[in-house]
Amino acid sequence: MSDKAYSKLPCRMREVKSPRRAYLAKRRNDKITTVLFQIGLLAALIGLWELAAQVGFIDSFITSCPSRIIKTLGEIEPAELMTHIGYTVLECVIGFFAASAIGILVAVLLWRFNKLRRVLEPYVVVLNALPKIALGPIIIIWVGAGMQAIVVMTILICVIVTIISVLNGFMSVDEGKILLMKSMGASRFQILTKLIIPANVPALVNMLKINVGLAWVGTIMGEYLVSSAGIGYLIIYGSQVFKMDLVMTSTVILCLLATIMYLAVAGVERLTKRKFHVE
């Protein structure tokens, strides 16, 4: 409500609205303060890093520093840099969406078929504990030494966690509500679409936020194993020729890309909260 419209309200209605306006203003101020503190903390860390390198407290040849990172960025051809970024982003996005879709589908099947869930649940737990990097050579043999191997590695990193988190959310829905819908003649599909999924919208969004980090881990891990381009390739190449500035520059770029992807998922979270009125 605008201030002009608010001023036209009767006094009693203004008294009712005032606490809400104060509450909304407090929330807005808290968000602004949090963002400012986050930016200030980041700026302070970058400043301390640069200062420590300039005064010789740390060896900038080993740890690099912000000024050397900026210089390294200027030395890389923009077209070459965008090619490496494009490969990594494409691999990560494909793996992210594929793993999320497969994980949700498997979780739905395990929720729908109780016997299947009881049979497969121990295997899912064991697969989650298995170090995925150990499967790297097998993946390369199965799908080839290319982008497909990196995407498969990303999917393997994300999919088991997706299945477990989504299935736990499905199983946590109030059994009384499910029995009520069954008593009213609802089918399993109707229970899924009208109760289970709407009740788990926050859990699904949280799963996507978790998968953002896991997808980047899987992508870089895959590029460590087999790649001819990408951010992971630059990190490996920089470490092999002992160009730590290139390694740190690639790491900073990776952090920025992950942040952008996380902010995109956070935007989806805000939209779902607004649509489903979730606090």
Side-chain angles (χ1 to χ4, degrees):
M1 181 182 293
S2 65
D3 293 336
K4 186 176 180 181
Y6 176 76
S7 63
K8 294 181 180 180
L9 291 174
C11 293
R12 292 183 178 179
M13 292 187 66
R14 289 186 200 176
E15 293 174 358
V16 174
K17 292 288 184 179
S18 294
R20 174 171 174 78
R21 287 168 61 89
Y23 169 73
L24 293 176
K26 184 177 182 301
R27 284 190 61 180
R28 183 170 58 253
N29 292 335
D30 287 343
K31 289 181 180 179
I32 294 173
T33 302
T34 301
V35 171
L36 291 176
F37 271 113
Q38 290 172 339
I39 296 174
L41 178 60
L42 178 61
L45 291 174
I46 293 174
L48 288 173
W49 185 11
E50 179 68 26
L51 179 62
Q54 294 298 330
V55 301
F57 184 74
I58 58 175
D59 188 351
S60 60
F61 180 76
I62 301 297
T63 63
S64 190
C65 62
S67 60
R68 293 177 67 123
I69 289 174
I70 294 173
K71 181 181 178 181
T72 303
L73 276 173
E75 294 173 350
I76 303 175
E77 288 292 333
E80 180 184 358
L81 180 61
M82 292 307 299
T83 299
H84 289 294
I85 292 176
Y87 270 102
T88 299
V89 170
L90 180 61
E91 293 157 356
C92 182
V93 170
I94 293 174
F96 172 81
F97 283 108
S100 299
I102 294 171
I104 292 173
L105 178 60
V106 173
V108 169
L109 293 175
L110 294 180
W111 170 82
R112 173 62 181 84
F113 301 102
N114 291 327
K115 290 184 179 179
L116 180 64
R117 184 183 74 251
R118 289 196 294 268
V119 170
L120 295 183
E121 203 164 22
Y123 295 97
V124 173
V125 174
V126 171
L127 287 175
N128 186 48
L130 176 68
K132 311 304 184 297
I133 191 67
L135 300 176
I138 300 176
I139 294 172
I140 294 172
I141 293 172
W142 283 352
V143 301
M147 181 183 292
Q148 59 270 28
I150 300 172
V151 172
V152 170
M153 176 63 73
T154 305
I155 293 173
L156 289 177
I157 294 290
C158 297
V159 71
I160 304 299
V161 174
T162 302
I163 294 171
I164 293 174
S165 60
V166 174
L167 182 59
N168 287 339
F170 285 178
M171 300 304 297
S172 66
V173 175
D174 187 1
E175 188 67 25
K177 295 179 180 179
I178 298 176
L179 291 175
L180 176 61
M181 291 192 69
K182 286 182 178 180
S183 67
M184 299 174 67
S187 64
R188 297 287 290 185
F189 181 76
Q190 289 174 324
I191 294 173
L192 175 67
T193 55
K194 302 296 183 181
L195 174 62
I196 302 297
I197 292 179
N200 281 277
V201 168
L204 292 173
V205 174
N206 285 332
M207 175 271 298
L208 293 178
K209 292 166 73 174
I210 294 171
N211 275 359
V212 168
L214 294 178
W216 284 105
V217 170
T219 301
I220 300 303
M221 189 181 297
E223 290 184 345
Y224 280 178
L225 291 174
V226 49
S227 67
S228 57
I231 303 299
Y233 169 80
L234 289 179
I235 294 175
I236 290 294
Y237 171 76
S239 63
Q240 288 175 343
V241 298
F242 219 70
K243 290 185 177 180
M244 299 309 297
D245 291 335
L246 179 59
V247 173
M248 293 303 297
T249 300
S250 302
T251 303
V252 170
I253 293 172
L254 181 62
C255 292
L256 291 175
L257 294 174
T259 300
I260 292 171
M261 191 169 176
Y262 179 85
L263 291 176
V265 175
V268 173
E269 182 182 27
R270 286 193 295 271
L271 291 176
T272 56
K273 284 184 177 180
R274 193 175 305 162
K275 182 176 181 179
F276 293 93
H277 307 287
V278 178
E279 289 297 333

